[in-house]
Amino acid sequence: MQKMIIAIDGYAATGKSSLAKRLAKTLQFKYIDTGAMYRAITYFALQQEPKGSVHEKQLIAALDQIKLHFELTTSGQEVSLNGVNINKEIRQSDVTSEVSNVAKIPEVRAVLVAQQQAMGIEKGIIMDGRDIGTVVFPNAECKFFLTATPEVRAKRRHLEQMDQGIHESYEDVLDNIQTRDLIDSTRETAPLRKASDAIEIDVSDMTLEEVYQKIWSYILKKQSKTS
Ligand code: DC
């Protein structure tokens, strides 16, 4: 398969990362979950004194002390912050509640977008996020934009969290998803938006396998056009 950039954007809990991971394995491409990068910065901010809330100015001043590292293992992507693995911590509810507020800070976005662009320089990469097709890689060869109703997404995320031992009620998960949708899509810098040339897929009534097959057939079509 010719090396290319595949951007998978869309709303929270639409299955972006499961799909991206499977595609990356099949294509032997690198996979980057950019949401995990925003979560790692949020975790860092919450650890700064006074702990438990985000102090924007302090965070901006400390951005150059943050070293993120990603490694793809058989069990998924491992994220470390200044040498410490924080895979589990970035999925906890305190991080999930604050991440959209951190992701709207332009200075944070500038640092992470530059890192993401550097990771894609050799192509052969699949990135999932909110602004990959619009801002990070506007020239990506394949762009997908996934949507689904908030209720379908909350049900999905609630089940996933229970599997991971994170106990939060369905109502709280739904509330968080709706709040994040609003903040992510109305922020000034790089709001969540479908790129004009992205393929939009409403996954509300589709299985993950059906979505995968749909995406896969577009990739094959694109590949045959460019080779
Ligand atoms: O994909 P996720 O739910 O782990 O993402 C966490 C948050 O990070 C999400 O609410 C919005 C933000 N995000 C972003 O603004 N831009 C990205 N490219 C990826 C995530």
Side-chain angles (χ1 to χ4, degrees):
M1 177 73 71
Q2 166 216 344
K3 278 191 166 185
M4 54 181 167
I5 295 179
I6 301 176
I8 306 186
D9 288 305
Y11 288 88
T14 44
K16 298 187 298 294
S17 64
S18 311
L19 292 158
K21 260 183 239 166
R22 184 170 162 195
L23 286 168
K25 204 168 169 191
T26 310
L27 294 167
Q28 303 216 314
F29 280 14
K30 274 192 284 185
Y31 161 60
I32 299 293
D33 164 7
T34 61
M37 300 173 84
Y38 289 93
R39 286 174 179 271
I41 304 274
T42 306
Y43 173 75
F44 173 89
L46 291 171
Q47 295 303 304
Q48 303 301 292
E49 298 293 345
K51 286 188 182 178
S53 53
V54 174
H55 306 281
E56 193 171 323
K57 277 196 185 139
Q58 206 177 311
L59 171 62
I60 293 169
L63 279 174
D64 60 355
Q65 297 165 24
I66 305 178
K67 298 276 171 286
L68 297 180
H69 183 73
F70 291 89
E71 206 175 310
L72 203 59
T73 66
T74 43
S75 53
Q77 180 182 256
E78 299 283 330
V79 186
S80 59
L81 168 68
N82 298 336
V84 179
N85 185 301
I86 53 162
N87 241 20
K88 206 157 182 188
E89 288 78 358
I90 61 170
R91 304 289 159 198
Q92 298 290 353
S93 57
D94 55 343
V95 171
T96 304
S97 304
E98 276 301 324
V99 63
S100 285
N101 288 323
V102 170
K104 70 181 183 195
I105 302 172
E107 289 83 351
V108 169
R109 300 204 72 83
V111 166
L112 292 187
V113 167
Q115 288 182 12
Q116 291 153 10
Q117 288 171 334
M119 289 170 185
I121 213 144
E122 289 174 14
K123 297 201 171 191
I125 194 163
I126 303 185
M127 241 181 224
D128 83 53
R130 304 294 190 284
D131 61 340
I132 311 304
T134 51
V135 174
V136 182
F137 295 119
N139 298 323
E141 286 83 356
C142 287
K143 297 182 186 179
F144 300 96
F145 189 82
L146 306 188
T147 66
T149 65
E151 290 75 17
V152 165
R153 293 185 283 128
K155 203 167 150 194
R156 231 187 99 89
R157 186 48 52 87
H158 185 231
L159 287 173
E160 256 171 37
Q161 289 189 349
M162 284 203 300
D163 273 352
Q164 296 165 353
I166 300 170
H167 299 286
E168 205 181 352
S169 71
Y170 165 80
E171 288 73 22
D172 285 351
V173 175
L174 178 62
D175 185 58
N176 173 268
I177 278 184
Q178 288 173 320
T179 306
R180 283 205 286 149
D181 283 356
L182 183 70
I183 302 174
D184 294 344
S185 50
T186 56
R187 68 179 173 226
E188 263 177 46
T189 313
L192 168 63
R193 204 167 1 95
K194 175 186 152 334
S196 57
D197 52 350
I199 310 287
E200 182 166 346
I201 307 176
D202 182 342
V203 305
S204 302
D205 298 316
M206 294 172 83
T207 63
L208 211 54
E209 181 62 29
E210 288 168 336
V211 184
Y212 181 84
Q213 293 304 335
K214 189 161 185 170
I215 289 182
W216 184 241
S217 70
Y218 278 115
I219 293 174
L220 291 180
K221 223 187 284 169
K222 187 82 195 182
Q223 175 77 14
S224 66
K225 272 190 206 150
T226 51
S227 57

